[in-house]
Amino acid sequence: MKRNNIFPGSLVAEDLQRYFISLKSLFVLSIAVFFISAVAGYIYTSMNPASADMSLQELQSLVDIIKELSPLQIMLFIFLNNALKSLAAILLGVSLGIIPLLFLAYNGYVLGAVAYITGAQEGLSFVLLAIIPHGLIELPMIFISVAIGVRIGLTTLARLRGQTVSVKQEITAGVAVFLRFVAPLLLVASVIETFVTPMIIALV
């Protein structure tokens, strides 16, 4: 695997552009895994609504936590939850990329299941408005994080096969991109989800 020159403290535009180009196929893979899982969750739940009980219980537990918080605390909770999961997807890429992809598939499936149940109760427009405003930023950041994790996994595999590659350098590059690009945009997404999305939903 081709090595890159991204390091904390020297992340210039050319490095970032080159790095993202190298992630293109893995980014597409992440999108495919997520949406295939979401469709599977939606279809399976439509045929067996009771199967969504666990997903709904997990969602309700989050709602129970959030409803006791102030808007600022909710924003920070959402941000930290997404940021830590995205960072974990990157670092756990050393599992040959398996864990990041499983994480993505699980979350896609849960989203599909919840989307069906919520859509049946509130309508499809409600579901779309509840997801799209912040999702346009949040989802690509998650896909990028998983793509980075898979890239680290492929580098780990190449290393195990005896190739001269640096897993440490790949992790350093991934964390640098997370800190300087992914995390700030996840913060923006959490602001939108907390303060903008509820206002849009209220119009439905």
Side-chain angles (χ1 to χ4, degrees), residues 158-169:
R159 182 63 178 173
L160 292 174
R161 290 176 173 175
Q163 297 181 30
T164 306
V165 292
S166 174
V167 176
K168 181 180 179 180
Q169 180 177 321

Side-chain angles (χ1 to χ4, degrees), residues 130-147:
I131 295 174
I132 290 176
H134 60 276
L136 288 175
I137 299 175
E138 181 182 303
L139 288 177
M141 294 306 100
I142 293 174
F143 298 152
I144 287 174
S145 299
V146 171

Side-chain angles (χ1 to χ4, degrees), residues 108-125:
Y109 182 89
V110 169
L111 178 63
V114 173
Y116 174 78
I117 296 298
T118 305
Q121 297 173 347
E122 305 290 344
L124 181 60
S125 60

Side-chain angles (χ1 to χ4, degrees), residues 11-68:
L11 186 57
V12 297
E14 292 78 7
D15 288 332
L16 189 60
Q17 182 180 21
R18 198 159 44 240
Y19 188 77
F20 280 144
I21 289 175
S22 74
L23 286 176
K24 183 177 179 180
S25 61
L26 299 178
F27 182 77
V28 172
L29 172 64
S30 298
I31 293 175
V33 168
F34 181 82
F35 281 102
I36 289 173
S37 300
V39 170
Y42 188 95
I43 293 175
Y44 184 75
T45 304
S46 69
M47 296 186 297
N48 184 18
S51 66
D53 288 348
M54 184 176 297
S55 298
L56 292 175
Q57 288 174 4
E58 181 179 341
L59 181 63
Q60 186 59 49
S61 65
L62 288 175
V63 171
D64 291 340
I65 294 174
I66 290 176
K67 70 181 182 181
E68 302 296 331

Side-chain angles (χ1 to χ4, degrees), residues 182-204:
V182 174
L185 285 176
L186 284 177
L187 180 59
V188 172
S190 69
V191 171
I192 295 173
E193 186 171 359
T194 303
F195 299 103
V196 178
T197 298
M199 290 190 296
I200 295 176
I201 292 177
L203 299 176
V204 178

